[in-house]
Amino acid sequence: MINFRARLFCPLYFPVRRRSVAHSASDGWQRSAVAHAAAVGALVAVVAGVAGIERRSPAMPVASDAEAWSVAQVGEWLVEIQLPQYCAAFEGNAIDGGRLLTRLTETKQLVSMGVQGHDDQVKLLAGVKELRIACGLEPRWRVPQALTDNEGLLTPAELELCRSLCLEAGQVHLFERWPAPGTEDEGKRALVDQLVALHQQYPGGLLQYHRNAVSLLADSKAGVNSFDGFIPAVPTGVNLGFNTEGFRAAENTGVSGVGDVGFVLVAGGLGERLGYGGIKVQLPTETSTGRCYLGLFCEHILALQSRARTRTGDDGLTLPLAIMTSDDTHAPTEALLERQGRFGMAPGQITLMKQNKVAALANNDGAFPLKDSDPYELETKPHGHGDVHVLLQQSGVLQQWVERGKKWLFFFQDTNAFAFRTFIAALGVSILQDYDFNTVTVPRQAQAAVGAICRLAKEDGSDATTLCVEYNQLDPLLRATVDPAGDTPDECGLSPYPGNTNQLVVKLSSYATAMATSGGTVPEFINPKYADAAVKDSFKSPTRLECMMQDFPKLLPPSAAVGFTTFPLFFYSPVKNNATDAAKKVAKGLAGACPATGEADLYSFARRLIGMETRLEAPSLLVDGTAQVAAPCVCAVADGGAVSYNDVPVELGPAVVLSPSFGVTSTEVAGKVRGGTISARSTLVLDGEDIIVEDLELDGALVVRAVAGACVRIKGLKVKNAGWEFVALGAEDDDTAPEELKIRGFKVLKHEERALEFTDPGTYEIIE
Ligand code: UGB
């Protein structure tokens, strides 16, 4: 297990534990306090030694020894805080450490020493205060009177926690506005209960959480490279092109292993970038059928299960799904499953595991913000998708799956509708390559909010490992090592490092062994969204310490086989951003990753699967050496062209929707739609395991649904009707359109369709 600079304390000039003073105990956490703190902070940053000081001569005095400093050392300190002009005066007055910390704590004392300038006085006083704190002569913060007045409401242990949160972590603002006992006591109690719960849930308690946070925030602000000492290189992995022999071989191998898989969906995230009020898994993947993400995932698992049962002859074979939720998503996810009859999954087939939340962090000092809506409730956030490992262990799911003889785990995220379109081939590669840990990757655009898979090793080549370097860590790492330009595109216009989709195929035996030794705790990191990326002194919204599931290789032995499987970019279209941010990204040539692009990409992928996107690559679909579909539908999308919704340009038509049961592999789908033409305005929905469509001429909407056991053959069908139309939302929709549509900017008007429903098993032929 290799230790990266995840949660370390770096001894700066004044080798004390790093704490900032910007957050003065007496001012509480309001706007005015923030402005004042910022001014002092700037000065103190100079005084407390900015990151660069580390590179000074090792002879420089240590803050915690300041009491013992000589006059000369005080002089060195003055130089360091850029007040050399007072060295002579200090020397003349024989100001050593002892005198500095006891006699120069007030303005008038400085004036008598000739320090007339206000800024210099403030800088010196703040500097002396920092040294007194470093020497333990005074607490950084104080306990507010309001807490002391209300101590009768708390148990001794609770009081101790609240006091230490003030004195050691500067959370004075949580208590200082408390009214006298007897008023709002219920609220005070609720806040203390919440603090105690958070304290108990985090290893080392809330003070450790604050210490870790302040240290990582300082690193992030300073752009510290969290992979210090490691050199990144482009890793080697398996590259699968669509429609290639390699792809089909991987899929065929994967199919053989499907029965041994346990599926793990992480769905505890709030989706702040998306700005959607509901849970992301209930979002429709597309508006033609309205199938939501969780429904899609469950249908894929059931389709895989039915194939595995057929292949193994074991009708009891069940593919389990564990879903990680959080306080924000747990109840709505439960309700969605209830409402939808678990999307056909058997009772007990799905396990929900709820992750704990951690305190949000409002600024670089690690202040815990209170909710705007409630002064007695802390803002909290899920601790990152990395919690899934600890939860699989603590919930007993891991042990259960080991006992049921499962061999593989597949981890995936909540809004990538393509997760199961790469899964089988990736599993095949894991089996063929005997990977312990295999990440599904796609070509990565530089600066995209997608982690990068890197081969990291020490200068001498030791400690080599393949890891995901997260998108906010890559630039500092590259700048500090191999490329001063940082995260920039290569001659092909892409990042040289494969992009992490966070779909992970993991060998269960290796996973269980590593879990037994590590408990599954992956190192933490922090990813603040800065209001101003240049100065990094305030956040767009509060952040939190988090951990990432893709960091699991850090818990594996160096001998573990860690690899990745790269798919073409069209195998990946997450939905993460609101339309405004998406439009900006598209304007910069980056993927929009918003609901509209997610829907358009799903239709485009389905067209590709049935051999319709030939205009792009023009390879005809070869299955077992014979051309399946020879560019029959070029005319289909000739003039589809992009339309902008919420300023995001997308190409929606023709809208082709394939249910998971229609085909779980590209090989299975290939050849199910042969010949024919489909106009750009058309919609084709194919929902059922055994449907073959030949020479279809479609100009409008056609929906074919067939239950299991219904074998449907459609030949020479000519369908022309008003169809379904995608229409931009207008002012008239402002009050009526649901959020699911508003965030994509269009709705579908179902004017007319031809629907063929086969609700009983049997053989059906429709020949026109
Ligand atoms: N999630 C949780 O379940 N709990 C949490 O506390 C947080 C998240 P985000 P992120 O898809 O391209 C990841 O926020 O973390 C779930 C990879 O790290 O959507 O910024 C949440 O519900 C990155 O390398 O993404 O970035 C969702 O299902 C890249 O792969 C999932 O975790 C990026 O995703 C991801 O959460 C991506």
Side-chain angles (χ1 to χ4, degrees):
M1 187 155 65
I2 300 170
N3 277 325
F4 294 96
R5 248 179 94 122
R7 252 192 299 166
L8 301 169
F9 291 99
C10 37
L12 287 181
Y13 168 56
F14 303 112
V16 298
R17 185 182 308 183
R18 181 190 310 184
R19 294 186 180 177
S20 81
V21 298
H23 190 341
S24 64
S26 60
D27 295 323
W29 200 71
Q30 302 90 13
R31 292 277 152 257
S32 59
V34 171
H36 162 70
V40 173
L43 293 168
V44 166
V46 171
V47 172
V50 289
I53 288 177
E54 265 180 74
R55 284 182 293 283
R56 305 157 283 92
S57 70
M60 286 308 286
V62 173
S64 48
D65 305 343
E67 268 178 295
W69 281 359
S70 64
V71 172
Q73 287 174 313
V74 170
E76 285 170 27
W77 175 71
L78 282 170
V79 172
E80 203 52 55
I81 62 169
Q82 293 135 20
L83 292 175
Q85 67 272 36
Y86 299 112
C87 285
F90 275 55
E91 197 175 343
N93 289 284
I95 301 295
D96 60 11
R99 287 202 182 91
L100 176 69
L101 300 191
T102 53
R103 305 220 187 130
L104 294 180
T105 55
E106 290 164 34
T107 308
K108 66 176 185 295
Q109 293 159 334
L110 293 178
V111 172
S112 67
M113 290 273 299
V115 183
Q116 305 301 338
H118 171 71
D119 282 1
D120 291 355
Q121 289 165 353
V122 170
K123 193 188 246 182
L124 265 168
L125 289 176
V128 170
K129 180 177 168 71
E130 178 57 22
L131 294 175
R132 287 175 54 83
I133 290 168
C135 296
L137 292 178
E138 72 176 69
R140 176 180 299 288
W141 296 291
R142 60 182 172 77
V143 174
Q145 188 56 42
L147 178 58
T148 309
D149 296 345
N150 282 279
E151 63 186 29
L153 284 176
L154 313 180
T155 67
E158 290 166 347
L159 182 59
E160 182 42 38
L161 173 62
C162 296
R163 287 176 55 82
S164 49
L165 282 173
C166 292
L167 291 172
E168 293 188 50
Q171 307 299 336
V172 175
H173 62 281
L174 299 180
F175 312 102
E176 69 183 345
R177 285 204 183 77
W178 279 12
T183 309
E184 296 170 2
D185 288 357
E186 217 180 296
K188 299 169 199 168
R189 280 287 346 144
L191 178 61
V192 172
D193 292 345
Q194 187 189 22
L195 287 168
V196 170
L198 291 169
H199 184 64
Q200 287 162 346
Q201 281 160 6
Y202 189 85
L206 269 179
L207 292 174
Q208 187 60 49
Y209 177 77
H210 183 261
R211 277 192 288 274
N212 296 345
V214 168
S215 166
L216 287 171
L217 282 166
D219 282 356
S220 172
K221 180 177 167 81
V224 167
N225 159 22
S226 40
F227 292 93
D228 218 6
F230 286 84
I231 310 294
V234 178
T236 49
V238 174
N239 221 321
L240 293 179
F242 186 49
N243 258 347
T244 59
E245 271 320 307
F247 191 100
R248 276 190 291 282
E251 274 197 329
N252 291 340
T253 307
V255 163
S256 67
V258 159
D260 306 322
V261 178
F263 295 91
V264 185
L265 166 62
V266 287
L270 301 172
E272 287 160 316
R273 283 171 283 174
L274 191 56
Y276 170 60
I279 51 173
K280 291 185 279 177
V281 289
Q282 85 184 15
L283 264 177
T285 54
E286 35 80 14
T287 52
S288 299
T289 66
R291 180 185 276 113
C292 72
Y293 285 95
L294 189 49
L296 179 76
F297 300 146
C298 290
E299 282 185 50
H300 267 293
I301 292 171
L302 289 172
L304 292 168
Q305 180 173 288
S306 95
R307 271 92 175 155
R309 286 181 175 179
T310 310
R311 204 181 35 263
T312 59
D314 172 1
D315 284 345
L317 186 154
T318 301
L319 299 181
L321 169 64
I323 304 178
M324 178 169 81
T325 58
S326 65
D327 276 348
D328 307 288
T329 66
H330 192 79
T333 306
E334 262 182 342
L336 174 64
L337 287 168
E338 188 66 33
R339 256 193 334 272
Q340 298 292 340
R342 296 180 305 280
F343 299 102
M345 300 277 263
Q349 187 168 4
I350 301 177
T351 308
L352 296 190
M353 316 176 294
K354 193 163 78 159
Q355 68 180 131
N356 289 329
K357 297 181 82 180
V358 289
L361 302 160
N363 54 29
N364 284 319
D365 309 308
F368 301 158
L370 292 162
K371 279 200 168 174
D372 295 343
S373 57
D374 182 348
Y376 294 108
E377 186 176 356
L378 275 191
E379 200 174 320
T380 56
K381 291 180 179 266
H383 185 231
H385 38 74
D387 279 353
V388 69
H389 302 303
V390 172
L391 281 178
L392 279 170
Q393 178 124 299
Q394 287 174 347
S395 64
V397 166
L398 175 59
Q399 193 48 35
Q400 255 178 48
W401 291 359
V402 169
E403 283 158 9
R404 281 168 57 179
K406 294 299 176 191
K407 296 194 182 72
W408 299 96
L409 298 171
F410 178 55
F411 293 85
F412 60 104
Q413 306 194 141
D414 52 12
T415 59
N416 175 27
F418 297 72
F420 284 79
R421 293 298 178 191
T422 54
F423 158 62
I424 295 198
L427 176 63
V429 168
S430 289
I431 294 170
L432 293 167
Q433 303 286 330
D434 196 23
Y435 279 153
D436 296 295
F437 191 96
N438 179 12
T439 302
V440 171
T441 58
V442 290
R444 182 179 176 277
Q445 292 173 307
Q447 299 295 330
V450 173
I453 308 296
C454 300
R455 181 89 181 140
L456 292 164
K458 292 268 177 67
E459 199 102 39
D460 61 3
S462 64
D463 279 353
T465 183
T466 299
L467 268 184
C468 171
V469 176
E470 192 59 335
Y471 47 89
N472 64 316
Q473 298 168 317
L474 183 66
D475 199 66
L477 168 66
L478 295 176
R479 285 175 193 281
T481 53
V482 292
D483 188 345
D487 181 11
T488 49
D490 62 12
E491 63 285 354
C492 315
L494 288 167
S495 162
Y497 302 93
N500 170 46
T501 68
N502 243 11
Q503 287 147 193
L504 315 168
V505 179
V506 186
K507 189 189 288 181
L508 187 54
S509 53
S510 319
Y511 184 83
T513 309
M515 290 293 284
T517 47
S518 68
T521 307
V522 286
E524 292 173 312
F525 87 119
I526 200 149
N527 183 9
K529 309 290 182 293
Y530 293 107
D532 178 337
V535 285
K536 297 183 177 175
D537 60 0
S538 63
F539 310 154
K540 276 188 193 156
S541 60
T543 186
R544 87 293 200 175
L545 281 187
E546 55 184 310
C547 53
M548 300 182 297
M549 66 176 175
Q550 66 268 35
D551 273 348
F552 191 82
K554 294 179 182 175
L555 308 181
L556 289 171
S559 58
V562 177
F564 62 89
T565 309
T566 294
F567 293 77
L569 192 50
F570 55 74
F571 271 90
Y572 182 57
S573 179
V575 169
K576 303 237 177 201
N577 304 313
N578 59 50
T580 312
D581 292 345
K584 290 188 197 133
K585 286 180 183 287
V586 170
K588 276 197 279 178
L590 288 173
C594 67
T597 56
E599 177 158 352
D601 291 344
L602 202 51
Y603 296 143
S604 159
F605 188 83
R607 295 195 294 266
R608 195 183 291 275
L609 267 186
I610 60 174
M612 218 171 261
E613 283 292 304
T614 50
R615 71 187 168 89
L616 291 176
E617 284 148 19
S620 61
L621 194 61
L622 299 177
V623 173
D624 307 328
T626 51
Q628 288 293 322
V629 180
C633 311
V634 169
C635 59
V637 294
D639 58 356
V643 178
S644 284
Y645 299 104
N646 289 348
D647 300 327
V648 177
V650 289
E651 219 177 282
L652 289 170
V656 175
V657 180
L658 309 176
S659 70
S661 60
F662 183 76
V664 294
T665 64
S666 63
T667 314
E668 203 181 319
V669 172
K672 282 192 168 184
V673 179
R674 302 176 188 148
T677 60
I678 298 181
S679 69
R681 71 179 188 86
S682 292
T683 299
L684 174 62
V685 176
L686 300 173
D687 187 351
E689 187 164 343
D690 198 351
I691 301 172
I692 302 272
V693 180
E694 258 184 278
D695 304 329
L696 166 68
E697 284 181 33
L698 175 60
D699 182 25
L702 171 64
V703 178
V704 183
R705 292 191 203 286
V707 296
C711 167
V712 178
R713 299 290 172 269
I714 298 170
K715 188 169 176 44
L717 203 62
K718 294 180 180 39
V719 176
K720 187 169 183 51
N721 57 42
W724 296 357
E725 183 191 5
F726 295 107
V727 179
L729 294 182
E732 73 283 4
D733 297 302
D734 284 358
D735 304 334
T736 53
E739 210 188 342
E740 288 78 7
L741 293 185
K742 283 190 177 152
I743 58 176
R744 66 192 67 221
F746 60 83
K747 60 187 174 187
V748 60
L749 297 181
K750 299 184 174 182
H751 304 300
E752 187 186 1
E753 74 272 341
R754 170 111 183 244
L756 302 172
E757 304 270 351
F758 303 92
T759 52
D760 298 310
T763 302
Y764 304 89
E765 283 203 345
I766 312 283
I767 299 178
E768 288 187 7

